[in-house]
């Protein structure tokens, strides 16, 4: 079973308007890599750095299930088959 | 047929009377006494004897057991002049209460003698009618409605989110509503900002808000501030309120509202929208996470376009703003589970709500154990930095 990555509205212009992308991965980092493979440029939009110290940008939250991966193992957070990863950007509108 | 006078004198001869001064002394000495006011509700509006249970005469027999479960409990009844309390005392004796007395001269003599009077705001007849659907529910009741009427809630922004939130909070009887917004009504606002109307285009939003809200509920106080919240005015403004409802439209103000709420220990009911997406949560300073725990940094300029640039479904703020109003009312009433520790996201296109966990960040520069933000900062600069 693949991993489902939920794409928020502001990023759908980079995923050909798809609101979810399915990838094969064992960690959140691998999933975002696979997403970037499918839709090049997304890694840079979401992540600072490239190597082992790569971190999700601080104005974007990535959730594995219900939990923010910043409070788990970051990009190394393991994801099981069928898991859902949600990318939640800060939004400020209200007017 | 026995006359009322005959009945009353027979009742009075079998009911012990006590002078107001003796009751006062017992209250002062905290002597055991179940003091019961048997007057009608509207008679209590000018005050009552401290410590009295306001049971009224009508349901006395049904309600006395709650305040006096033992049949030998020392019960003292009073009314306005001493007649109804004597009759009520006689009735309680018939029920089997053995230690009942009636206060001579009632509340009238009590007040005349200059004895201490307590006033508790009770709902007026009109309020009871207006809020009857609230009062019917035990989770709110009259006590809850009084809490709502005593609550002071500030809405930051009278726009997309502030409009529906304000309409419902006013209707619900939140007693003091503050509204801060520097803008004037624009035609492009009417697609979603349901507080405002065509004939108010060009007039200050806060004035328009006041007109609409006082038309819905003239029973509440509406304070308006035609200004932009900034570091110079936020502390003084927020200090006057219990709960802050954040419906602003930009990142600098989001961080400003968050920090000011943290420093003043005010609950921040957060809502934000973008195109078809909404987010709602509650930040309770020092207890749950804050906005900086959730989003440590704002997106760089250009990364997060505003609704003015990217558009927003006009109905979306209805869902999000009303969710903020519900959370606000729950917080005032102290009922249910708020969104503290949870981020509710809403996707209007999929019509899906989703719940994500939020946590206090041990590295939070504001509410973490080693804070670096210890006062208000320059928020425009904070949000315009390229990182």
């Amino acid at each position: 079973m693949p991993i489902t990555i939920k794409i928020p509205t502001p990023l759908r212009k980079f995923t050909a308007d798809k609101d979810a992308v399915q990838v094969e991965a064992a960690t959140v980092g691998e999933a975002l890599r696979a997403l970037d493979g499918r839709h090049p440029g997304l890694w840079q939009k979401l992540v600072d750095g490239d190597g082992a110290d790569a971190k999700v940008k601080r104005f974007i939250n990535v959730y594995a299930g219900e939990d923010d991966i910043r409070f788990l193992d970051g990009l190394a957070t393991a994801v099981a088959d069928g898991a859902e990863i949600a990318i939640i950007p800060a939004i400020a509108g209200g007017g | 047929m026995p006359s009322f006078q005959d009945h009353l004198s027979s009742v009075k001869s079998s009911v012990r009377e006590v002078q107001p001064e003796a009751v006062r002394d017992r209250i002062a000495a905290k002597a055991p006494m179940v003091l019961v006011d048997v007057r009608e509700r509207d008679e209590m509006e000018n005050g009552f004897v401290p410590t009295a249970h306001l049971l009224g005469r009508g349901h006395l027999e049904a309600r006395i057991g709650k305040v006096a479960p033992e049949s030998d409990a020392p019960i003292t009844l009073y009314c306005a002049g001493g007649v109804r309390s004597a009759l009520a005392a006689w009735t309680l004796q018939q029920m089997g209460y053995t230690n009942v007395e009636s206060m001579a001269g009632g509340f009238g003599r009590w007040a005349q003698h200059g004895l201490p009077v307590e006033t508790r705001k009770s709902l007026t007849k009109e309020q009871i009618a207006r809020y009857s659907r609230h009062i019917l529910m035990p989770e709110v009741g009259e006590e809850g409605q009084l809490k709502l009427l005593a609550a002071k809630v500030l809405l930051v922004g009278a726009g997309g989110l502030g409009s529906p939130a304000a309409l419902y909070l006013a209707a619900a009887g939140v007693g003091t509503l503050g509204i801060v917004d520097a803008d004037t009504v624009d035609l492009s606002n009417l697609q979603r900002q349901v507080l405002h109307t065509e004939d108010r285009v060009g007039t200050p939003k806060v004035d328009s808000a006041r007109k609409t809200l006082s038309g819905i509920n003239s029973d509440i106080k509406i304070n308006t501030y035609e200004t932009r919240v900034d570091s110079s005015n936020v502390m003084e403004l927020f200090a006057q309120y219990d709960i802050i409802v954040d419906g602003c439209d930009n990142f600098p103000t989001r961080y400003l509202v968050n920090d000011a709420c943290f420093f003043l220990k005010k609950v921040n009911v957060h809502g934000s929208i973008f195109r078809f997406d909404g987010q709602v949560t509650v930040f309770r300073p020092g207890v749950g996470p804050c906005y900086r725990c959730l989003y440590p940094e704002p997106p760089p300029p250009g990364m997060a376009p505003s609704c003015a640039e990217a558009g927003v479904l006009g109905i979306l703020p209805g869902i999000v703003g009303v969710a903020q109003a519900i959370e606000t009312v729950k917080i005032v009433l102290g009922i249910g589970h708020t969104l503290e520790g949870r981020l509710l996201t809403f996707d209007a296109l999929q019509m899906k709500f989703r719940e994500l966990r939020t946590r206090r960040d041990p590295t939070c520069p504001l509410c973490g154990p080693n804070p670096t933000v210890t006062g208000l900062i320059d928020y425009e600069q904070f949000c315009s930095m390229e990182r």
Side-chain angles (χ1 to χ4, degrees):
Chain A
M1 279 244 293
I3 310 292
T4 304
I5 306 177
K6 305 288 274 182
I7 309 295
T9 318
L11 292 180
R12 284 179 203 161
K13 58 185 170 209
F14 304 107
T15 59
D17 276 336
K18 274 188 267 190
D19 62 1
V21 175
Q22 299 205 316
V23 296
E24 299 285 343
T27 65
V28 173
E30 284 177 28
L32 296 184
R33 282 276 182 220
L35 176 68
D36 187 66
R38 206 82 58 79
H39 302 285
L42 270 178
W43 176 271
Q44 274 200 320
K45 295 252 173 257
L46 300 172
V47 182
D48 281 328
D50 226 356
D53 61 343
K55 277 198 174 112
V56 173
K57 289 181 189 283
R58 286 166 71 80
F59 53 88
I60 291 171
N61 290 340
V62 175
Y63 293 83
E66 284 186 5
D67 282 297
D68 187 337
I69 62 164
R70 273 196 292 136
F71 298 106
L72 301 174
D73 295 324
L75 291 170
T77 301
V79 282
D81 272 359
E84 205 172 271
I85 294 172
I87 302 168
I88 307 285
I91 54 176
Chain B
M1 190 181 111
S3 75
F4 172 67
Q5 282 308 327
D6 294 340
H7 177 58
L8 182 62
S9 49
S10 111
V11 162
K12 283 214 166 179
S13 69
S14 69
V15 168
R16 202 167 70 238
E17 281 201 325
V18 58
Q19 290 304 315
E21 281 73 12
V23 172
R24 174 202 57 196
D25 294 344
R26 281 188 218 154
I27 294 169
K30 296 200 163 79
M33 168 178 60
V34 180
L35 184 63
V36 178
D37 189 327
V38 299
R39 294 175 300 163
E40 301 295 320
R41 166 175 302 282
D42 53 355
E43 297 179 271
M44 298 172 185
E45 274 173 24
N46 292 326
F48 51 89
V49 177
T51 76
H53 298 278
L54 311 180
L55 299 189
R57 174 78 186 87
H59 297 283
L60 181 65
E61 293 89 335
R63 292 177 180 166
I64 188 71
K66 277 201 178 151
V67 297
E70 310 290 337
S71 63
D72 61 348
I75 301 174
T76 302
L77 306 177
Y78 72 89
C79 59
V83 173
R84 281 173 294 168
S85 60
L87 294 166
W90 184 78
T91 306
L92 293 189
Q93 286 174 352
Q94 304 300 307
M95 282 178 74
Y97 284 99
T98 57
N99 192 2
V100 191
E101 57 188 15
S102 165
M103 189 170 85
F107 184 77
R109 190 178 297 172
W110 177 278
Q112 232 170 39
H113 289 196
L115 301 177
V117 169
E118 198 173 303
T119 49
R120 183 194 304 162
K121 285 207 95 160
S122 62
L123 297 177
T124 63
K125 273 189 184 146
E126 197 193 302
Q127 287 172 327
I128 289 169
R130 176 186 285 270
Y131 305 117
S132 60
R133 301 303 190 276
H134 269 168
I135 296 166
L136 280 169
M137 298 188 291
E139 292 82 356
V140 185
E142 195 171 340
E143 201 181 319
Q145 192 61 53
L146 284 164
K147 280 189 201 167
L148 288 170
L149 286 163
K152 296 176 178 171
V153 174
L154 180 71
L155 297 150
V156 181
L161 295 172
S163 285
L167 289 173
Y168 276 106
L169 291 174
V174 167
T176 305
L177 270 186
I179 302 161
V180 53
D181 199 311
D183 290 341
T184 54
V185 179
D186 184 86
L187 190 59
S188 68
N189 299 149
L190 301 185
Q191 165 250 24
R192 65 197 177 285
Q193 301 183 8
V194 292
L195 271 175
H196 313 303
T197 55
E198 285 182 2
D199 59 330
R200 299 184 202 149
V201 167
T203 67
K205 282 188 182 174
V206 290
D207 293 349
S208 168
R210 177 191 291 280
K211 270 187 203 144
T212 302
L213 298 174
S214 55
I216 292 171
N217 194 345
S218 58
D219 192 35
I220 59 167
K221 191 173 169 204
I222 298 162
N223 301 326
T224 54
Y225 310 91
E226 192 186 344
T227 182
R228 195 180 154 86
V229 202
D230 61 26
S231 296
S232 75
N233 58 23
V234 69
M235 298 298 272
E236 198 193 332
L237 183 58
F238 283 17
Q240 303 167 50
Y241 292 87
D242 310 319
I243 298 173
I244 312 299
V245 178
D246 184 0
C248 77
D249 61 359
N250 62 84
F251 281 105
T253 310
R254 297 284 180 190
Y255 284 94
L256 170 73
V257 167
N258 179 69
D259 293 3
C261 282
F262 177 78
F263 293 131
L264 291 164
K265 303 275 173 273
K266 305 284 178 184
V267 180
N268 174 2
V269 182
H270 173 95
S272 54
I273 49 174
F274 178 78
R275 304 189 79 176
F276 296 95
D277 291 341
Q279 298 183 5
V280 195
T281 188
V282 171
F283 301 117
R284 190 184 289 271
V287 181
C290 77
Y291 187 64
R292 288 175 182 270
C293 297
L294 179 60
Y295 296 114
E297 284 171 12
M303 269 291 285
S306 70
C307 294
E309 293 156 332
V312 62
L313 182 71
I315 307 153
L316 174 72
I319 295 265
V320 175
V322 170
Q324 288 178 279
I326 291 178
E327 292 301 280
T328 303
V329 164
K330 278 162 56 190
I331 293 162
V332 171
L333 296 174
I335 59 171
H337 296 281
T338 69
L339 284 172
E340 211 177 303
R342 294 183 288 159
L343 176 71
L344 184 71
T345 66
F346 175 62
D347 178 344
L349 282 180
Q350 307 298 324
M351 197 46 86
K352 269 196 179 154
F353 287 94
R354 190 190 165 99
E355 206 178 293
L356 301 163
R357 207 165 293 146
T358 58
R359 300 190 202 203
R360 285 190 81 171
D361 183 350
T363 67
C364 177
L366 180 71
C367 75
N370 301 303
T372 52
V373 177
T374 54
L376 299 177
I377 59 168
D378 183 336
Y379 294 90
E380 294 293 342
Q381 193 209 2
F382 175 62
C383 293
S384 65
M385 279 190 294
E386 290 288 351
R387 289 168 217 275

